[in-house]
Amino acid sequence: MTDQALLLPQEEKQFSLAKDAFIRLVANRLAVVGMVLVVFLFFVAIFGPYLTPYDFLSQDLLARNKPPSWEHWFGTDDLGRDILSRVIYGSRTAVIVGFSTVSFSLVIGLFLGALGGYFGGKVDAFIVWLIDITMSIPSLLLVIVINVSLKPPLVNWMDAQFVATGNEFYRNTIWVDFVLVFGSLALIKWPKAARIIRGQILSIRNKNYVVAAEALGVPTSKIVRRYVIPNAIGPIIVYISAALGEAMVLESSFSFLGVGVRPPIPSWGNMISDGLRIWQLYPHVLAAPAAVLAVVTIAFSFLGDGLNDALNPRQWK
Amino acid sequence: MAKLLEVNNLHTRFKVRNGYLHAVNGVSFSLDKGEMLGVVGESGCGKSVSMMSLIRLLPPAAQITEGEVLLDGEDITHASVSRVNAIRGSKVGMIFQDPMTSLNPFMKIGDQLIEGIVYHKKITKADALQQAAKYLKMVGISNAEHRLNEYPHQLSGGMRQRVMIAMALLNEPSLVIADEPTTALDVTIQAQIVELVKSLREKLNMSIIWITHDLSLLAGMVDRIMVMYGGYVVEEAVLDDIYKSPLHPYTIGLLKSIPSLKTEAGSRLPSIPGAPPNLFSQPTGCPFAPRCTYRVDRCQSEVPALTAVPGETGERPHRVACWVDMRGKGVKQ
């Protein structure tokens, strides 16, 4: 046996797991559709102010409820505002809410879940109890309660501060919606992430391949990096994708019900709510935000499915 | 022959909710260079835990309370964690029971094989992969270079076990501990793996500890057999002595329980009545006494010590822990 014969054949390239997964993801057509749409959504959300043909607030009362045309691609609403511009700004609202909710819930969830899974025993029992309690809180009810109990006093206090000090900081109360409503959403959405990471760590810690690596004398830091994290990360990435979509839909639902982002800040939810009042006469007012919301939801679920398959080598053919 | 491994009075226990579970109770044995030892016993008799204790590969709840393990004269039980890691990676190889779950599904065979040597031998990845391919060929995997680039799920159970064996051998260890390596495989593959290990042993001159609950598997493979029960070594002798003149009632029962082709259809298969002992409480007498048909009064009050008697074949002594002298059928004093 010569050394030459042992060399790896040239045509067989070594790919990392991430690259392998990406190749698999791209091979899945629906996932690519989802990915393109999601990337497009983020692009629109980030560069929104440069893309909107009109100011999303400017009203043209002579051109109310106009159907789609070259001047207004998605038409105008009942105050003569350009619907395309409002949909674009609505995507900003959705993405901000989606990201803040998911990242907050992820940070809390990962921390508590990993803590429970790693230490076990009483710590774990307490965290599981906390998860159960939190999951029993209905999110809609919580958001409504916060809306009626915490938000008005805070907004009033800020108004008073503005009058008293003249500080511009207190003038804009819109971000209070974001922080209060969706901060509270994050506070009750973390259990799902916590449960995922806890289960992952619990099962992987006792897996035979971790023991096998220990038997080879692989150091702990390397075991965590090469064995525990790759095996745990798949479900987390899938969770992020699914949770982003879910959070955006939740934001729309709350705004639709009037407990989310307040007009005139556009959200797909409050636009759908507006359109619903006049849809028999002007269906385009409802159609645009509803269609965008539907497409975004489907895109995230395609992407999530594709990621799930791509990140799991056991499902590869 | 030179001694490779010496284990003296090893005790391992697990901390559980209501106290301690005594899994290993004073195990002592030694292993020569190039020797192959079979460790036999029922499930839960402490055979895996005692062998895992050798390289301190134990769950956090377990602790070695007493005894020492000397590998090449170096005490492993009191070595630092980093030293134990180094020993695991260079002197001792492990082959695990279940090849289906013992490979990381997220790592390629090649990456996983070389994990240990890249870290411990400080060689380049390319060199390590060449080495890995060489060992894959040695364990009988065709198209080895291609397999390096595959994931565990793309291999069959027998092939995965071969990969596990290659992984254990890659460090060129002087001692290989095989923990029921054929239990999860079907009988034909089992025979192949046994043959493979036998040939590799001759080729590489390693010492092997083969843990199993299947006494018949060890015939024609190992040099010596050690029988464990309830965390104790109850008998230890060269292969022929164990098969031809077993001295412990438990070993006799185990040998009788092997169904043979002569067993008549419809007849009951022989078995040892009762179940392995509860390891929570340490027995006052012989752990096997409750199930033993040769039991005498002394068995329930005193734990018999492992004592050497002359072996029937060869000069190696036959060690047995029993109050009854099975050769003369009298009670020992």
Side-chain angles (χ1 to χ4, degrees), chain A residues 31-47:
Chain A
V32 172
V33 171
M35 195 164 55
V36 168
L37 286 171
V38 167
V39 169
F40 182 68
L41 169 73
F42 289 154
F43 175 81
V44 166
I46 292 165
F47 297 103

Side-chain angles (χ1 to χ4, degrees), chain B residues 264-276:
Chain B
E264 261 177 66
S267 67
R268 284 186 72 90
L269 290 169
S271 67
I272 305 173

